[in-house]
Amino acid sequence: MSILLIGGTGKTATRIAALLAASKKPVLLASRRGPDATSNGHPAVKFDWTVESTWPGLFENGHIEAVYMISPQISQPWVPMIKFVDFAKEKGVGRFVLCAGTTAAIGEDGMGRVWEHFIKSRVDFCVLRPSWFMENLIEPGVVHTIGKLGKLFTAAQDGEIPFVSADDIADVAYHALIDEKSYNCDLRVLGPEILTYDRIAEILTKVLGRKVEHVKLDEAGRIESLVKAGLSDYYARFVTRLEVLASQNFEKATGDAVERVTGHPPKSFEAFAEENKVVWLDS
Ligand SMILES: NC(=O)c1ccc[n+]([C@@H]2O[C@H](COP(=O)([O-])OP(=O)(O)OC[C@H]3O[C@@H](n4cnc5c(N)ncnc54)[C@H](OP(=O)(O)O)[C@@H]3O)[C@@H](O)[C@H]2O)c1
């Protein structure tokens, strides 16, 4: 019996795989790259949300008891995701853990439609609703602006955000996948402090020993800068919209889900920055 991790090469699933391996639970990674995505001894199988002919192959290597899923970046992602839940349920999957975000609301377009479908289909589930990942700050483009330019560009202004580490999200997902009793609810997965990007820049300045400045862009300027950096117009607008929402404190929240589920407090941004400082310093 395996646990299937969709987005198996991504930030959260790779960390969940390590936790499952440590407790000797068999893992199957799903990736558009197929078996080439095999890593740390975990088998990988070809899977693409948008190519239904890749779905049956997931179930050809033995029983899958639970599935971790993240959304593909396509319009109306809930359409294939809902269809997949029905398909996997027919194959005997009893539990689904979905990594959504702050915006998800039951029944509303977006991950809320998948969440509603879990309830209607009477499957065991957990919907994780993390705030922003600390690991966004070690994505290649951002590493360049922090490491080389000493600047952090956003349209988030003074918005307050409880940044959370993918390590903690993975640990919560791990428990939601394997704990004997399914949670059957959503969990806000939040970091320990509410931070502005000014504060993030201050912490980076201290940890890196050199000045990092938060540059506050307006909406149009932020879209333009992201497009110049190589993002599609669609994705640049999507990211900017989230930052503008954050500037209105849409992300601001507190909660203890990480500690309640995992038994340890969530990682602080300063600890994350210390762990990763070489990434920015060597850029
Ligand atoms: N970053 C944030 O601040 C933030 C905040 C809240 C919520 N979230 C949510 O967290 C999730 C991201 O999780 P993550 O960071 O672990 O992922 P990630 O590192 O962004 O990786 C995305 C994964 O999706 C796979 N993928 C992309 N398109 C696919 C397709 N059509 N079919 C199958 N697989 C596909 C890719 O694998 P292959 O290329 O190997 O196929 C990749 O492993 C997203 O749903 C996002 O909305 C993110």
Side-chain angles (χ1 to χ4, degrees):
M1 290 210 294
S2 299
I3 297 196
L4 174 68
L5 303 177
I6 292 180
T9 58
K11 288 183 285 296
T12 50
T14 48
R15 289 169 166 84
I16 300 168
L19 294 169
L20 289 168
S23 57
K24 307 227 176 318
K25 292 266 179 197
V27 171
L28 184 60
L29 306 175
S31 164
R32 288 168 300 177
R33 283 166 40 212
D36 286 351
T38 298
S39 115
N40 293 329
H42 304 304
V45 63
K46 188 165 178 69
F47 172 76
D48 190 327
W49 284 111
T50 63
V51 183
E52 277 183 45
S53 60
T54 63
W55 298 4
L58 300 174
F59 301 95
E60 281 168 6
N61 301 306
H63 180 58
I64 307 276
E65 57 184 310
V67 175
Y68 173 73
M69 51 207 274
I70 63 169
S71 144
Q73 282 176 0
I74 57 174
S75 74
Q76 303 199 327
W78 58 90
V79 174
M81 293 175 84
I82 286 172
K83 199 165 178 185
F84 179 81
V85 170
D86 291 340
F87 182 79
K89 188 181 168 201
E90 259 184 36
K91 298 283 183 188
V93 175
R95 191 183 293 193
F96 297 83
V97 174
L98 168 67
C99 184
T102 306
T103 52
I106 296 181
E108 288 187 13
D109 280 2
M111 292 306 96
R113 296 280 293 269
V114 185
W115 183 356
E116 176 186 58
H117 192 67
F118 291 148
I119 295 169
K120 281 187 179 161
S121 323
R122 298 177 180 278
V123 292
D124 281 338
F125 73 95
C126 184
V127 176
L128 308 183
R129 296 175 56 230
S131 188
W132 292 5
F133 297 10
M134 293 178 185
E135 286 70 12
N136 295 347
L137 292 156
I138 50 169
E139 292 284 358
V142 187
V143 166
H144 173 79
T145 65
I146 293 173
K148 283 268 184 271
L149 312 177
K151 292 188 194 307
L152 190 48
F153 298 97
T154 82
Q157 313 303 334
D158 296 318
E160 296 176 295
I161 303 161
F163 279 92
V164 60
S165 166
D167 289 341
D168 291 319
I169 300 166
D171 207 351
V172 174
Y174 162 80
H175 282 280
L177 284 162
I178 66 147
D179 281 3
E180 195 172 333
K181 192 164 163 25
S182 176
Y183 297 151
N184 296 347
C185 66
D186 73 308
L187 292 173
R188 291 304 325 273
V189 186
L190 309 173
E193 318 148 89
I194 299 186
L195 298 163
T196 61
Y197 272 105
D198 282 3
R199 180 72 190 127
I200 293 268
E202 273 173 29
I203 295 170
L204 288 171
T205 298
K206 178 180 160 207
V207 170
L208 301 185
R210 60 195 202 205
K211 179 78 185 153
V212 178
E213 180 196 359
H214 174 211
V215 181
K216 298 171 185 172
L217 299 174
D218 65 15
E219 189 170 349
R222 179 61 170 151
I223 294 170
E224 193 186 327
S225 78
L226 289 170
V227 169
K228 266 195 197 141
L231 265 65
S232 68
D233 186 65
Y234 168 82
Y235 198 54
R237 285 176 189 280
F238 173 76
V239 170
T240 303
R241 186 179 66 86
L242 293 179
E243 289 182 355
V244 169
L245 275 175
S247 76
Q248 296 153 3
N249 279 339
F250 181 76
E251 286 294 323
K252 188 175 179 182
T254 53
D256 65 351
V258 171
E259 183 142 18
R260 228 176 340 111
V261 170
T262 69
H264 62 72
K267 188 183 291 186
S268 70
F269 184 76
E270 188 157 346
F272 169 83
E274 286 289 351
E275 276 171 25
N276 289 284
K277 66 179 170 190
V278 67
V279 178
W280 297 296
L281 291 173
D282 286 0
S283 69

